[in-house]
Amino acid sequence: INTPHHLHRELAVRAVGAGKHVIVEKPLATTLADAVEMVEAARLAKVRLSMWLGKRYSPAGAKAHRLVRQGLLGGRVLGASLVFHNHKTPAYWQGGFSGKSTDWRGRWADSGGGVFIMTGIHFLDWITYLTGERIVELSAKYATLASPVEVEDTLTMWYRFERGGLGTANFSSCVRGGRSDILELRIYGTEGQVSLTDPPQFYSTRILDDKPPERWHLLEAGPAPSSEQVQFLDGFGASIRQGTVFEISAREAVELHAGDRGVVASG
């Protein structure tokens, strides 16, 4: 389902009610209540409902995930820092990348939000995937600073992982010169850190990939076996054929959006 955000709930509920497995473009829905209704409808219909989150399938993301599981960060995650700035012009808000005149993206009622749910959620998912930890507390401030829309074009947040580590994130879609391919992301722990800022690098007190410890090394990921989209769809299809749980479930997306595990947020 790849429609204006406010239509996701109705279409998803109808599709799962017809016995279809469903993938929804992010965000899952414009409200938490709608998202919960979608998850419950899929559960009752015994079909899979997922949300598109593809960053974890990038070559750098997959390699970083493997090294972190091998102990790159050490026994505990201490924190993460993220900065993502791009520039969405008035033309984007008036039609996106479709070339057609549609202004729903800029309205709260139709889109449900701006830079965070349109872009930032990909990177927040990336952080929780790489660390293997959930975010249990957060506080955020957002504003519309330089865009002709209702929704936020800037958001800054701090958050706490379940084992105590602290993180920060800053998202903006109104920074002149900002580009969607420029990202500053570091995750650090008791024994090392990984940087996914281009070029991706890692540092650890441990020997990893036969690299000497206590030095910075390039994160040599190599080419991906296929695009992020293909890997996502292959995994979704395999989970259906094999009767297994797909790693990106709608329930996980609900937790990432608003947190049904006690996350506290402020606007």
Side-chain angles (χ1 to χ4, degrees), residues 53-69 73 77 121-135 161-162 185 187 194 196 231 246-248 252 256:
L53 290 168
K55 279 293 177 184
R56 58 177 70 185
Y57 297 105
S58 69
K63 179 66 175 290
H65 183 262
R66 180 172 67 81
L67 292 180
V68 169
R69 293 301 175 270
L73 300 178
V77 175
I121 196 168
H122 278 299
F123 301 113
L124 205 60
D125 172 71
W126 212 6
I127 289 172
T128 56
Y129 174 67
L130 290 173
T131 61
E133 293 200 32
R134 296 189 180 277
I135 292 172
F161 292 112
E162 56 190 335
L185 172 58
I187 302 172
V194 59
L196 291 169
Q231 292 180 73
F246 186 49
E247 67 174 354
I248 304 176
E252 182 179 4
L256 188 61

Side-chain angles (χ1 to χ4, degrees), residues 24-36:
V24 181
E25 176 61 276
K26 50 81 188 156
L28 191 63
T30 55
T31 70
L32 179 59
D34 283 356
V36 171

Side-chain angles (χ1 to χ4, degrees), residues 76-83 116 123-124 127-128 131 133-141 155-171 184-189 264:
R76 188 160 64 95
V77 175
L78 301 180
S81 61
L82 167 66
V83 177
F116 179 65
F123 301 113
L124 205 60
I127 289 172
T128 56
T131 61
E133 293 200 32
R134 296 189 180 277
I135 292 172
V136 296
E137 182 182 6
L138 67 84
S139 179
K141 291 292 183 180
L155 184 145
T156 297
M157 68 185 339
W158 74 266
Y159 50 88
R160 181 171 61 83
F161 292 112
E162 56 190 335
R163 292 197 294 164
L166 298 176
T168 62
N170 179 258
F171 306 103
E184 298 174 23
L185 172 58
R186 289 194 308 119
I187 302 172
Y188 44 95
V264 178

Side-chain angles (χ1 to χ4, degrees), residues 162-202:
E162 56 190 335
R163 292 197 294 164
L166 298 176
T168 62
N170 179 258
F171 306 103
S172 180
S173 59
C174 65
V175 176
R176 300 303 185 268
R179 290 178 9 205
S180 60
D181 61 339
I182 296 178
L183 171 72
E184 298 174 23
L185 172 58
R186 289 194 308 119
I187 302 172
Y188 44 95
T190 53
E191 300 293 336
Q193 63 174 296
V194 59
S195 169
L196 291 169
T197 303
D198 195 35
Q201 303 175 68
F202 70 93

Side-chain angles (χ1 to χ4, degrees), residues 84-88 93 105-106 108 113-116 118-119 141-156 170-176:
F84 179 82
H85 292 163
N86 71 351
H87 180 210
K88 290 184 175 179
W93 296 109
R105 291 171 181 82
W108 283 108
V115 64
F116 179 65
M118 291 183 180
T119 305
K141 291 292 183 180
Y142 56 86
T144 307
L145 300 178
S147 302
V149 293
E150 296 176 358
V151 298
E152 89 284 354
D153 60 15
T154 302
L155 184 145
T156 297
N170 179 258
F171 306 103
S172 180
S173 59
C174 65
V175 176
R176 300 303 185 268

